[in-house]
């Protein structure tokens, strides 16, 4: 069985369409979305609809719950764009999913809110190892997102896989995702994919929505693939 792991579409419909083309070449048996399908970018309604039309399962991310719960006052743009039905669906997304295949046990999360803080390349192994145990099961693979960068880490008891970001990639300005393929003998392989896309078109997509919160910061992130740290205002969230 081959899984495609995608995440952090973040309202970037231009990038999402490039992902769709790349997924056709990968030919995964299932598409697992690890969350943050909305927010930041200009087309949350379209990335939301795409995810629900194409993904076999969707895990809720911090932006999905924050917008769905109307947690931050500055997110009114997204509330209006998504509408009541989609907002309710965001709040109903599960926080995690467990998949067993050929003797392997995979735990899928977005990151926050399961994680207390972002875990990345400088995180101690023990912090990742603690996440392999959940629901009474010792998992040997953890798949997560949230940091917008691809990562593979071997720790005691298993491996940690971060699929990277589709709509707001950091470090490399390409659509990023991962594949995880299981074989009958219990072996598995991890593949990292990055797909060029028309980021100039993504910038024009955003400029067409001048009321988008933090528009200038978003445009800079899309062009330069770097994180513009938010100045905290009224409970604003990073990433």
């Amino acid at each position: 069985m081959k899984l495609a792991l995608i995440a952090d579409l973040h309202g970037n419909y231009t990038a999402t369409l490039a992902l769709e083309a790349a997924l056709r070449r990968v030919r995964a048996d299932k598409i697992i979305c690890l969350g943050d399908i909305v927010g930041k970018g200009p087309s949350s309604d379209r990335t939301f609809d795409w995810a629900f039309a194409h993904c076999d399962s969707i895990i809720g991310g911090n932006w999905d719950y924050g917008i769905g719960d109307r947690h931050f006052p500055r997110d009114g743009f997204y509330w209006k764009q998504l509408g009541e039905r989609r907002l309710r669906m965001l709040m109903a997304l599960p926080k995690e999913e467990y998949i067993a295949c050929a003797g392997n046990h995979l735990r899928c999360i977005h990151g926050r809110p399961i994680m207390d803080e972002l875990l990345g390349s400088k995180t101690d192994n023990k912090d990742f190892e603690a996440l392999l145990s959940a629901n009474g099961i010792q998992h040997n693979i953890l798949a997560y997102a949230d940091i917008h960068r691809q990562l593979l880490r071997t720790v005691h008891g298993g491996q940690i896989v971060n699929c990277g970001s589709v709509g707001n990639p950091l470090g490399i300005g390409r659509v990023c995702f991962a594949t995880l393929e299981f074989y009958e003998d219990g072996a598995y392989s991890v593949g990292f994919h990055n797909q060029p896309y028309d980021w100039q078109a993504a910038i024009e997509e955003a400029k067409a929505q001048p009321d988008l919160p933090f528009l200038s910061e978003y445009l800079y992130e899309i062009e330069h693939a770097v994180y513009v740290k938010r100045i905290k205002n009224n409970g604003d969230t990073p990433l």
Side-chain angles (χ1 to χ4, degrees):
M1 178 173 67
K2 181 188 285 189
L3 304 178
L5 305 174
I6 70 170
D8 295 290
L9 279 61
H10 275 303
N12 186 339
Y13 193 61
T14 300
T16 300
L17 292 180
L19 169 72
E20 182 177 339
L23 288 173
R24 285 197 291 268
R25 295 193 294 272
V26 168
R27 296 185 178 182
D29 297 298
K30 290 186 177 181
I31 301 172
I32 310 297
C33 181
L34 301 180
D36 275 8
I37 58 177
V38 300
K40 295 197 81 167
S43 304
S44 289
D45 52 346
R46 294 197 285 179
T47 54
F48 176 104
D49 291 345
W50 185 95
F52 273 89
H54 292 85
C55 297
D56 294 277
S57 57
I58 304 172
I59 307 299
N62 53 305
W63 275 84
D64 301 319
Y65 297 132
I67 290 175
D69 192 37
R70 296 179 171 86
H71 193 75
F72 302 106
R74 52 89 175 156
D75 284 341
F77 172 89
Y78 307 116
W79 308 339
K80 182 178 179 181
Q81 187 179 69
L82 289 163
E84 291 295 329
R85 180 184 65 85
R86 294 190 185 97
L87 293 176
R88 288 194 301 270
M89 291 172 70
L90 287 174
M91 292 305 299
L93 291 174
K95 290 183 172 66
E96 52 193 303
E97 179 176 354
Y98 307 103
I99 299 172
C101 186
N104 294 284
H105 294 277
L106 168 66
R107 184 186 187 191
C108 297
I109 65 175
H110 175 70
R112 296 164 298 171
I114 298 296
M115 294 177 175
D116 292 329
E117 58 185 26
L118 291 172
L119 303 184
S121 60
K122 297 182 179 180
T123 297
D124 288 340
N125 284 350
K126 61 181 177 59
D127 294 321
F128 282 123
E129 290 163 4
L131 291 166
L132 288 172
S133 179
N135 198 34
I137 300 172
Q138 186 63 33
H139 299 82
N140 64 308
I141 309 169
L142 173 76
Y144 82 110
D146 205 5
I147 62 173
H148 296 207
R149 297 175 186 267
Q150 293 173 324
L151 176 148
L152 179 64
R153 174 83 68 88
T154 299
V155 300
H156 182 70
Q159 287 191 310
I160 311 300
V161 180
N162 192 297
C163 62
S165 171
V166 172
N168 187 214
L170 301 179
I172 178 171
R174 293 174 170 228
V175 169
C176 296
F177 66 101
T179 51
L180 184 57
E181 187 165 8
F182 298 100
Y183 306 102
E184 292 182 1
D185 65 353
Y188 67 89
S189 61
V190 179
F192 288 113
H193 305 260
N194 62 78
Q195 170 69 36
Y197 84 107
D198 190 349
W199 59 265
Q200 292 96 336
I203 284 178
E204 294 306 314
E205 178 188 345
K207 286 181 177 179
Q209 299 284 0
D211 295 330
L212 181 70
F214 300 104
L215 174 59
S216 61
E217 293 94 330
Y218 176 78
L219 295 177
Y220 192 89
E221 290 186 4
I222 293 300
E223 181 174 357
H224 299 283
V226 297
Y227 175 46
V228 179
K229 189 172 182 62
R230 306 290 193 208
I231 298 174
K232 289 190 176 182
N233 178 25
N234 214 7
D236 188 28
T237 15
L239 283 179

